């Protein structure tokens, strides 16, 4: 299922590229290259824009060509609208600034956002961007027009102010701001109480949005691989605690996984795709996982996907 | 090596503190930012072997300083053979036996004697013993010095026989004074023996420890630190009530005429008493018994009617309580016959600018003796009824010579004539009275006012004002006075003078009596004397005879020293015996039992009653804590020799340690170690050039 890791771009190498556009391109190209090599590439293609005609459908949308070939009526649903409206929602709070290695989570997250944006732009889909801390800081509505991708990149390039995270308020604001239904990709570390996340993500779902959550985490957060006792300072509240990792690791991991399970369960319950990604994993894998999950949601791959070789699809 | 306070050695455990603190992995190298602490809890500090001790010499020096301090505080000493024997009992014991009236109750005295005997028998051969009895005052029966001369067996016999000879008397319990005396006896014995070693010092008190014991003296006394007080309290089950006479204005306070002659008696019931109903009766059986209801712990005043038509009774008895030692109240014959003061003058009784108006009021409030002021016209012949008691005649106006002669005769017989000089000029009456013919009085200087000076406070007239709080006469101003040539009055004494030296009050003895001359009156026109608080006591002082003792009172307590009327030759005691009073002795101290005493004087017999101290009636036992509150150091355990030995051993050890003072070098050593530690710390901590830098330079 996964592409050969040797063919993937090391995230460290990728993130060393200064230009976000180059990074996105490199990731997407690597991804596409990976698709070619993937034996499962067909699954990642979405193809669901046709459905059988039923009385009452607007005959204007009948696909006559298909009818000519198959003698059956199919409605070419949303031929004009199927261009995806995707909102990339990026968490720029202080906790996203944490890094145990060379790059903070935020760097990885915005590269991921740029990658997705580039990928969708290639597909002629409309991409918008929302960045938030404790409130929405920037909003770029989804468009597909020349130069839009550059604006997305420019917005991503802005240095975050890095105030405290309050996921509740921004999620409420996004639900209120994004009126037209579409895809919302939330890129965040989700370091917030799980029950709160459940209710706020529920807002988005109740508006009819399709939601994908990319949970960006640092490897240190996943393993708590510290070796000496120290005063640990909370990046958001500034609170300090004396922690001896040897004794604290067990309970940390248990709590962390409990929380992750809780979040995952909430997402499953709400019909939200939940993808945890570690900042030391290649970005292409992220794209793979994303497409795979989406394919799983939409349905089995169709013939067109099987025949399509180069175009991945998000729709 | 031993330690006086070995518990301080535990302080050496403080050495562990810096090591443990070092080993606790609390020291952190900086801080680690982390995305969120919501999944973390603070770790408890724990010991780890990985913490390394870098500065061993510093640690050792600090530990050494701590240990030296701990050892110094534990006060080490080197044992030496004690030069003091412990087995023979080295205590100094003062046996204090209560012989107050309350010990007469029930079987208290045999119990007390047994307790005293037990103390005497419990003395070890090495002990020192003194026997002191006390009631109103302490009496040393066997002193330490005397006791030390006797061998132990003989000493016990002597002490027991002394105790056997004792019996409770009638005096009150002055416990405080006795304890102070006993403590003094013990201390004096120590001083006399030149003690360097410390003997265990103990006062053993055998007493009923009644609440009526006087303890005030202890309040000002600093109880010796090493003197212990051991209580051997004897108790009685009985309940007690006592009697006391209520002195004062019974006549004025009587509700009606019928009650006027009643005797008022105060009945006090003890707090622990079981009885409430008592009966009062005259001891001679006259009159009706009077019931008295007094709840426990309270006091009631009961009126006793005096039987009419009989000589007054001399004692009242109370019945109804268990202990009868304090149930009789003795009463002296009431000498308060009505007295008359003759006023020889022309003043109207209601004229507020005259003398009589104030004179009448001055005598109205007299409680001891009803006094009536009788105005007499100076022109009419003066009649002195010999049947009436006339202690004072006030001569405020000139009277014909026959009257003056009569006044002189009256004074000769012991009366007092007060002459108030109203105007300047010839004063024939005074001249006759004072035997100074041709006496002329001048008007005094009229400028300003005058105060009294040179007051003779030693004279009975002014003696009541002698105390500093009463002797301020500066508020009495005189506007006018007459200048009396006192030098012409032979034998006269000037009792007070005006400013400027003119005599103000002069007393001249005349026969058995006297003439008192006031150079200014108490009329408002003359001065402020009538409005002064001194006026009434001054005039009342004149009521008493020339040699009268103002301190004499017919109601006294056992143990009181009674000032006797002048000329007393003998005093007859209640048991019928007589005590001869030497000439010149003015007081009698043999009031050792309650009852009626009689002083035989040339003028006749003066009776005075002596009663038990009312405090002695309060026989409920006192708490030992009361003594502790007043500073007495009560012994925690009753005469435990072992405990004493342990205390002795401890004292010896303290002495040894005090001589050796090993803690001093230890403290010095600790200081030296700290100095070295400071130097070493500084040396180790100073910045050093790296070898490369050193090479470069």
């Amino acid at each position: 299922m996964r592409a050969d890791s040797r063919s993937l771009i090391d995230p460290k190498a990728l993130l060393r590229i200064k230009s976000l556009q180059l990074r996105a391109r490199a990731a997407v190209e690597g991804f596409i290259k990976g698709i070619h090599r993937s034996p499962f590439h067909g699954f990642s293609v979405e193809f669901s824009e046709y459905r059988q005609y039923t009385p009452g459908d607007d005959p204007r949308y009948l696909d006559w060509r298909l009818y000519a070939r198959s003698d059956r009526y199919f409605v070419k649903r949303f031929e004009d609208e199927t261009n995806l409206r995707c909102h990339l929602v990026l968490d720029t709070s202080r906790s996203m600034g944490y890094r145990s290695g060379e790059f903070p989570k935020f760097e990885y997250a915005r590269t991921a956002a740029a990658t997705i944006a580039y990928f969708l732009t290639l597909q002629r889909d409309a991409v918008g961007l929302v960045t938030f801390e404790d409130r929405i800081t920037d909003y770029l509505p989804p468009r597909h027009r020349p130069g839009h991708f550059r604006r997305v990149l420019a917005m991503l390039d802005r240095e975050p102010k890095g105030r405290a995270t309050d996921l509740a308020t921004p999620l409420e604001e996004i639900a209120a701001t994004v009126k037209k239904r579409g895809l919302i990709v939330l890129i965040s570390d989700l370091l917030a109480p799980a029950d709160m996340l459940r209710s706020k993500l529920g807002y988005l779902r109740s508006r009819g949005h399709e939601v994908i959550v990319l949970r960006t985490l640092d490897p240190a957060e996943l393993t708590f691989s510290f070796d000496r006792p120290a005063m640990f300072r909370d990046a958001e509240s500034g609170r300090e605690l004396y922690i001896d990792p040897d004794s604290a690791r067990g309970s940390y991991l248990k709590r962390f996984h409990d929380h992750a399970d809780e979040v995952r369960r909430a997402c499953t319950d709400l019909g939200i795709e939940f993808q945890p990604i570690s900042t030391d994993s290649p970005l292409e894998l992220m794209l793979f996982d994303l497409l795979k999950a989406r394919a799983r949601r939409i349905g089995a791959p169709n013939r067109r996907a099987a025949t399509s070789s180069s175009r991945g699809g998000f729709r | 090596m031993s330690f006086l306070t070995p518990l301080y050695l535990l302080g050496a455990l403080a050495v562990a503190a810096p090591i443990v603190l070092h080993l606790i992995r609390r020291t952190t190298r900086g801080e680690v930012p982390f995305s969120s602490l919501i999944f973390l809890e603070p770790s408890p500090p724990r010991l780890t072997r990985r913490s390394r001790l870098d500065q061993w010499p510093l640690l050792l020096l600090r530990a050494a300083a701590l240990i030296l301090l701990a050892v110094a505080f534990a006060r080490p000493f080197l044992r030496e053979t004690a030069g003091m024997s412990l087995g023979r009992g080295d205590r100094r014991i003062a046996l204090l036996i209560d012989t107050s009236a309350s010990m007469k109750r029930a079987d208290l005295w045999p119990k007390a004697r047994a307790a005293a005997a037990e103390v005497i028998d419990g003395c070890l051969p090495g002990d020192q013993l003194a026997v002191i009895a006390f009631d109103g005052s302490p009496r040393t029966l066997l002193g330490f010095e005397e006791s030390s001369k006797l061998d132990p067996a003989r000493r016990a016999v002597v002490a027991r026989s002394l105790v056997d000879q004792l019996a409770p008397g009638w005096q009150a319990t002055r416990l405080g004074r006795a304890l102070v005396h006993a403590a003094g006896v013990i201390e004096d014995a120590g001083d006399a023996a030149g003690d360097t070693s410390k003997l265990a010092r103990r006062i053993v008190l055998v007493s009923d420890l009644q609440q009526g014991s006087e303890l005030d003296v202890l309040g000002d006394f600093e109880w010796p630190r090493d003197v212990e007080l051991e209580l051997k309290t004897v108790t009685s089950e009985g309940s007690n009530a006592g009697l006391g006479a209520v002195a004062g204005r019974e006549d004025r306070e009587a509700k009606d005429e019928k009650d006027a002659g009643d005797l008022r008696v105060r009945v006090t019931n003890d707090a622990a008493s079981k009885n409430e109903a008592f009966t009062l009766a005259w001891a001679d059986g006259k009159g009706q018994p009077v019931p008295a209801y007094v709840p426990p712990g309270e006091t009631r005043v009961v009126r006793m009617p005096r039987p009419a038509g009989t000589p007054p009774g001399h004692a009242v008895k109370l019945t109804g309580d268990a202990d009868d030692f304090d149930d009789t109240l003795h009463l002296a014959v009431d000498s308060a016959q009505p007295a008359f003061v003759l006023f020889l003058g022309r003043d109207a009784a209601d004229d507020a600018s005259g003398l009589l108006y104030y004179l009448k009021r001055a005598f109205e409030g007299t409680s001891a003796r009803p006094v009536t002021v009788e105005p007499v016209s100076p022109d009419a012949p003066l009649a002195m009824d010999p049947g009436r008691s006339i202690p004072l005649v006030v001569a405020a106006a000139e009277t014909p010579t026959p009257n003056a002669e009569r006044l002189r005769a009256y004074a000769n017989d012991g009366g007092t004539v007060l002459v108030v000089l109203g105007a300047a000029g010839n004063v024939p009456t005074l001249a006759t009275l004072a035997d100074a013919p041709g006496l002329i009085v001048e008007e005094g200087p009229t400028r300003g006012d005058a105060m009294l000076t040179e007051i003779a406070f030693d004279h009975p007239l002014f003696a009541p004002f002698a105390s500093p709080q009463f002797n301020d006469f500066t508020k009495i101003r005189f506007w006018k006075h007459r200048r009396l040539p006192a030098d012409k009055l032979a034998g006269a004494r000037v009792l007070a003078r005006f400013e400027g030296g003119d005599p103000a009050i002069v007393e001249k003895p005349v026969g058995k009596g006297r003439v008192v001359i006031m150079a200014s009156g108490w009329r408002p026109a003359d001065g402020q004397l009538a409005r002064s608080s001194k006026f009434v006591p001054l005039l009342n002082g004149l009521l008493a005879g020339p040699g009268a003792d103002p301190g004499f009172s017919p109601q006294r307590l056992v143990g009181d020293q009674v000032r006797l009327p002048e000329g007393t030759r003998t005093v007859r005691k209640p048991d019928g015996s007589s005590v001869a009073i030497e000439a010149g002795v003015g007081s009698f101290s043999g009031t050792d039992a309650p009852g009626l005493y009689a002083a035989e004087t040339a003028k006749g017999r003066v009776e005075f009653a002596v009663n038990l101290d009312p405090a002695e009636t309060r026989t409920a036992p006192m708490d030992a804590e009361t003594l502790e509150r007043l500073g007495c150091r009560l012994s925690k355990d009753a005469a435990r020799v072992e405990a004493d030995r342990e205390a002795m051993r401890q004292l010896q050890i303290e002495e040894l340690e005090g001589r050796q003072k090993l803690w001093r070098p230890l403290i010095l050593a600790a200081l030296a170690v700290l100095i070295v530690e400071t130097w070493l710390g500084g040396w180790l901590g100073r910045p050093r050039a790296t070898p490369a830098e050193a090479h470069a330079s």
Side-chain angles (χ1 to χ4, degrees), chain A residues 137-253:
Chain A
T137 49
D138 283 309
Y139 176 57
L140 188 65
R143 293 274 188 281
H144 174 71
R145 61 171 65 151
H148 185 71
F149 177 61
R150 195 168 300 126
R151 290 175 66 191
V152 171
L153 290 179
M155 211 170 106
L156 282 173
D157 257 339
R158 282 180 204 162
E159 280 305 313
K161 294 187 186 78
R163 286 198 293 269
T165 309
D166 174 15
L167 279 173
T169 315
L171 288 178
E172 277 174 24
E173 284 180 353
I174 289 161
T177 311
V178 181
K179 300 275 196 234
K180 220 166 182 178
R181 286 186 295 181
L183 176 67
I184 289 178
V185 180
L186 172 64
I187 308 173
S188 168
D189 51 9
L190 298 183
L191 293 175
D195 50 348
M196 185 275 288
L197 286 172
R198 176 185 281 269
S199 68
K200 302 303 169 191
L201 290 171
Y203 276 180
L204 292 176
R205 281 296 287 152
S206 66
R207 299 272 169 150
H209 300 294
E210 197 177 327
V211 183
I212 294 173
V213 174
L214 295 178
R215 188 180 194 194
T216 318
L217 290 170
D218 193 274
E221 290 173 332
L222 288 163
T223 58
F224 203 68
S225 54
F226 299 96
D227 57 351
R228 62 172 56 178
M231 295 302 291
F232 277 61
R233 181 165 49 78
D234 191 311
E236 306 209 329
S237 64
R239 192 165 65 103
E240 290 196 341
L241 281 185
Y242 170 75
I243 304 289
D244 183 355
D246 291 348
S247 63
R249 186 174 294 115
S251 73
Y252 171 84
L253 290 178

Side-chain angles (χ1 to χ4, degrees), chain B residues 343-630:
Chain B
F343 176 77
L344 219 62
R346 293 189 176 84
D347 291 352
D350 56 351
D351 178 14
S353 61
L355 296 173
L356 180 60
Y357 181 84
Y358 299 99
L359 192 68
K360 279 174 100 74
R361 278 154 186 80
F363 289 120
E364 256 176 16
T366 312
S367 63
R369 202 172 173 193
V371 178
T372 310
V373 178
E374 214 173 79
V376 177
S377 166
D379 304 325
L382 185 64
M384 310 279 276
D385 184 357
R388 295 198 305 175
S389 163
I390 304 173
L392 178 66
V393 175
V394 180
E398 291 302 326
T399 184
T401 315
N403 278 356
E405 294 289 349
R406 254 180 229 123
L407 280 179
R408 185 176 165 84
Y410 160 75
N412 260 327
D413 289 343
T416 301
V417 180
L418 173 65
V419 178
V420 181
L421 298 177
N426 280 322
V427 278
T429 307
L430 176 59
T432 309
L433 270 171
D435 198 14
L439 193 69
I440 296 175
V441 173
E442 295 171 21
E443 197 65 46
T446 51
R447 217 177 330 157
D449 50 24
M451 293 187 292
L452 290 183
T453 59
E454 297 179 42
I455 297 165
F457 285 113
D458 58 331
H459 189 271
L461 195 58
F462 285 102
F465 308 112
S467 302
Q469 64 265 45
F470 308 125
N471 68 5
D472 178 16
F473 277 77
T474 57
K475 285 179 184 158
I476 307 172
R477 305 295 173 111
F478 291 91
W479 327 126
K480 284 181 187 168
H481 69 263
R482 266 53 65 185
R483 190 170 278 170
L484 175 73
D487 49 346
K488 291 191 177 164
L489 303 172
R493 181 180 177 196
V494 179
L495 302 182
R497 288 180 186 274
F498 292 112
E499 287 174 300
D502 292 340
I505 299 172
V506 180
E507 183 192 53
K508 178 175 165 53
V510 177
K512 290 180 189 172
R514 59 178 169 171
V515 175
V516 179
I517 308 152
M518 288 179 77
S520 177
W522 52 85
R523 274 192 292 251
D526 281 346
Q528 294 172 312
L529 181 61
R531 287 165 56 193
S532 149
S533 58
K534 309 283 194 287
F535 181 57
V536 173
L538 209 58
L539 285 182
N540 273 290
L542 288 170
L543 281 187
D549 173 15
F552 180 78
S553 154
Q555 302 296 337
R556 311 303 297 223
L557 301 179
V558 175
D560 275 1
Q561 191 159 18
V562 179
R563 288 180 69 170
L564 294 171
E566 201 180 335
T568 305
R569 292 184 296 250
T570 56
V571 173
R572 199 163 54 76
K573 292 173 73 168
D575 57 4
S577 62
S578 288
V579 178
I581 305 294
E582 289 174 26
V585 175
S587 63
F588 173 68
S589 55
T591 53
D592 50 7
L596 275 182
Y597 290 68
E600 308 280 356
T601 68
K603 288 181 191 169
R605 188 181 146 99
V606 179
E607 280 192 337
F608 56 92
V610 172
N611 282 299
L612 202 62
D613 192 322
E616 203 60 14
T617 299
R618 295 164 54 209
T619 52
M622 163 205 312
D623 289 335
E625 285 78 24
T626 312
L627 288 170
E628 266 187 325
R629 269 201 301 279
L630 287 165

Side-chain angles (χ1 to χ4, degrees), chain A residues 14-15 20 23-24 27 106-116 283:
Chain A
L14 180 73
L15 293 172
L20 204 54
R23 260 189 233 171
F106 172 71
E107 199 63 49
Y108 189 90
R110 71 174 170 186
T111 308
T115 306
I116 295 167
L283 273 168

Side-chain angles (χ1 to χ4, degrees), chain A residues 95 98 191 221 224 226 229-235 239-240 242-244 247 252 255-256 259, chain B residues 25-46 50:
Chain A
S95 64
Y98 175 69
L191 293 175
E221 290 173 332
F224 203 68
F226 299 96
M231 295 302 291
F232 277 61
R233 181 165 49 78
D234 191 311
R239 192 165 65 103
E240 290 196 341
Y242 170 75
I243 304 289
D244 183 355
S247 63
Y252 171 84
R255 286 172 168 216
F256 183 82
H259 177 260
Chain B
R25 287 187 68 193
R26 189 91 212 194
T27 47
T28 55
R29 305 271 165 106
E31 57 178 23
V32 175
F34 197 59
S35 52
S36 176
L37 300 182
I38 58 172
F39 306 119
L40 285 167
E41 277 184 347
S43 307
R46 65 189 179 97
R50 279 188 286 170

